Amino acid sequence: MSTENLPQSPEQAPRKPRVAVVFGGRSSEHGISVVTAGAVLSAIDRTKYDVLPIGITQDGRWALTADEPERMAIVDRKQPSVEQLAESGEGGVVLPVDPANREVVYNEPGSVPKALGEVDVVFPMLHGPYGEDGTLQGLLELSGVPYVGSGVLASAVGQDKDYMKRVFTSFGLKVGPYVVIRPREWQQDQSAARKKIVDFAGEHGWPLFVKPARAGSSFGITKVDDLSGLDEAIEEAQRHDPKIIVEALLRGREIECGVLEFEDGPRASVPAEIPPVQSHAFYDFEAKYIDAADGIVPAPLTEEQTAEVRRLAVDAFEAASCEGLVRADFFLTEDGEFVINEINTMPGFTPISMYPRMWRETGVGYAELVDRLIQAALRRSTGLR
C-alpha cells in the first residue's frame, strides 16, 4: 500500500537548550550576585535558549523567582535580594542528584510537586562562599549537569587566597609577600598569632592589608597603618572568614585582565587599569559597585607590557586549571614587574564591571560574551576531563 498520499506528521522543532541562572546565595555578596544575574538574564538570547531563574536565599533555600531583570538592580544604594524576587516564601526548587535525570522539581508545602522541565546547563552567578568556591560545582558534578565556569578544584583554589598564591608560586608566577593566620592559630594563642603579623610588618613595613582568606568583592578588608588598628581589622576580617590573610603593600599600578575560553583555548582581553580612588582607601566594595569607580580600558601600557600581562593572565588561568572565564588582577610595580594579586573565577557581570568592559573593548560584546560562556559549558562534560 502506498503511503504517498497519507498525511505526514509535522517534524517537531528541536528543543532549545534550557539555561538555569542560579544566583543570590548565602555569602555576603548575595546582593551583587542578584545584580549580576539580572544583567545576564537581560542578555541571554531567548531565541536560542529557554531560561529558568533560580534564586538561593540568604538562608540557603532554592527559590523559584520571577524572570524580571529590571527588579534586580541597585536602587538608592540598596542591593536587591532573592527574598524580594521569590514567588513563594516557602516553596523550594530541587535539582535531582541523578545524572540520568535533569528534571528540576518545585515543591510547595501542601501541594503536589511541580515539574519545571529539564535543565541542560547551569549559569551560576554566585559570588563568594557557598557557590563560587566549588561547593555548587560539586553538586552539579554529582547531578551530571554542565555549568558555566571553573570546576571544583579551580573554583576552590580561586576562592582561597592562601592556596591560590601557593599554586601561582609553584607555576613560577610572582606573588607579593603575605602571611596567613588559620582559625586554630587564633583560637589557641592570639598573642602568638598577633606577633606573627607584627613580625611580618617589621620585615615588610606598614601599612598592611588584613583580609578574609575566602571572600571577594573587598568585603571585610582593612588597610592597617599601624599596630593600633590591627585587632579591629582582624575582627572585621573574621566576621567574613575565620581564616585571614595579611598582605604587604605593593606600590604600583593596579592592572586587570580578562580570560575567556574559546573553541581553541583560553584567550586574554585587553587589560584595564584601576586608578587610585580618591574617596576610598582602596578599591573596595563601595568603589566597585556603588560609587562606580572608573577603570581605564584599555590600560595605558606599552605594547610589551600589554602582551606580557595578557600572557600572565592566561598562565594564571591554566595554572589553576580554570574553565570558562577568569579575571586576573595584577600590580605593575615601580620596577616594571607584574605581580599577580588574585584571580576571580566568577567576576562581576554588572553593567559597570571590568570583565565585560575589557571584553567589549577587545571586540566581544556583552550578549556574545554570555553566549560564548554558555556554549563553552555545553561543549564540556561533567566528571573527570
Side-chain angles (χ1 to χ4, degrees):
M1 177 177 174
S2 170
T3 59
E4 187 176 333
N5 296 320
L6 292 179
Q8 303 296 311
S9 14
E11 289 188 9
Q12 278 193 326
R15 183 175 68 84
K16 291 184 289 187
R18 191 164 218 215
V19 182
V21 178
V22 180
F23 58 94
R26 294 162 57 189
S27 83
S28 51
E29 298 178 76
H30 177 99
I32 285 304
S33 173
V34 177
V35 175
T36 303
V40 170
L41 285 169
S42 297
I44 291 179
D45 185 348
R46 304 307 176 96
T47 67
K48 289 180 66 174
Y49 307 105
D50 286 328
V51 177
L52 177 65
I54 299 173
I56 301 178
T57 64
Q58 294 173 77
D59 61 4
R61 178 173 63 92
W62 288 46
L64 188 63
T65 66
D67 187 4
E68 299 176 0
E70 65 278 3
R71 294 173 57 197
M72 304 164 72
I74 295 174
V75 179
D76 296 330
R77 305 177 75 87
K78 294 181 180 177
Q79 300 175 50
S81 70
V82 169
E83 285 79 359
Q84 296 167 352
L85 300 163
E87 294 193 353
S88 163
E90 295 183 314
V93 175
V94 179
L95 183 69
V97 185
D98 178 359
N101 176 19
R102 293 183 179 176
E103 186 164 78
V104 175
V105 175
Y106 179 68
N107 290 323
E108 184 80 41
S111 302
V112 176
K114 176 184 177 183
L116 300 178
E118 292 189 355
V119 166
D120 298 288
V121 62
V122 169
F123 203 135
M125 300 311 307
L126 296 157
H127 301 303
Y130 311 109
E132 190 182 349
D133 58 350
T135 49
L136 176 64
Q137 290 74 15
L139 172 64
L140 296 174
E141 292 285 351
L142 289 172
S143 302
V145 180
Y147 52 92
V148 169
S150 290
V152 175
L153 173 66
S155 297
V157 168
Q159 189 65 44
D160 191 313
K161 295 176 175 64
D162 174 16
Y163 286 98
M164 182 197 309
K165 291 176 188 292
R166 292 172 185 265
V167 168
F168 290 155
T169 301
S170 71
F171 277 83
L173 293 163
K174 186 171 179 60
V175 304
Y178 70 99
V179 65
V180 174
I181 303 297
R182 301 176 186 278
R184 189 175 294 123
E185 287 182 82
W186 187 255
Q187 291 161 8
Q188 291 181 345
D189 192 338
Q190 292 187 13
S191 296
R194 192 180 294 107
K195 182 178 184 303
K196 185 176 175 181
I197 299 173
V198 173
D199 289 347
F200 178 77
E203 182 179 357
H204 298 286
W206 301 91
L208 301 176
F209 289 89
V210 179
K211 304 180 178 182
R214 296 164 293 192
S217 286
S218 303
F219 279 110
I221 298 179
T222 306
K223 182 182 178 184
V224 182
D225 293 312
D226 53 45
L227 185 60
S228 65
L230 183 58
D231 281 3
E232 186 177 349
I234 291 171
E235 183 179 347
E236 172 60 18
Q238 288 178 334
R239 285 200 314 109
H240 300 269
D241 185 353
K243 177 181 177 181
I244 66 171
I245 187 168
V246 180
E247 296 174 348
L249 173 68
L250 287 176
R251 300 189 185 279
R253 299 161 61 188
E254 291 190 52
I255 306 294
E256 297 184 347
C257 193
V259 181
L260 177 65
E261 183 181 340
F262 285 74
E263 291 80 357
D264 59 352
R267 303 180 197 172
S269 70
V270 299
E273 179 169 6
I274 307 301
V277 185
Q278 301 302 324
S279 57
H280 298 266
F282 56 95
Y283 192 46
D284 61 4
F285 175 83
E286 293 277 323
K288 287 179 183 178
Y289 296 112
I290 306 297
D291 295 334
D294 288 329
I296 303 169
V297 189
L301 301 170
T302 66
E303 287 185 18
E304 292 77 11
Q305 289 171 329
T306 296
E308 175 72 358
V309 76
R310 294 176 84 168
R311 180 186 70 78
L312 291 171
V314 172
D315 286 351
F317 183 97
E318 298 282 37
S321 298
C322 295
E323 295 169 290
L325 72 165
V326 148
R327 193 194 70 233
D329 300 346
F330 298 85
F331 288 102
L332 177 57
T333 63
E334 293 174 340
D335 60 4
E337 185 174 35
F338 282 105
V339 176
I340 188 162
N341 184 36
E342 63 182 33
I343 57 170
N344 194 316
T345 56
M346 188 51 70
F349 260 81
T350 66
I352 64 171
S353 295
M354 296 309 300
Y355 185 85
R357 287 184 59 194
M358 289 186 287
W359 276 108
R360 185 167 62 242
E361 188 67 25
T362 311
V364 180
Y366 194 92
E368 182 185 349
L369 182 62
V370 169
D371 186 68
R372 282 191 172 277
L373 289 169
I374 294 171
Q375 288 298 317
L378 287 169
R379 287 194 300 270
R380 290 195 301 268
S381 62
T382 53
L384 298 178
R385 52 190 184 272

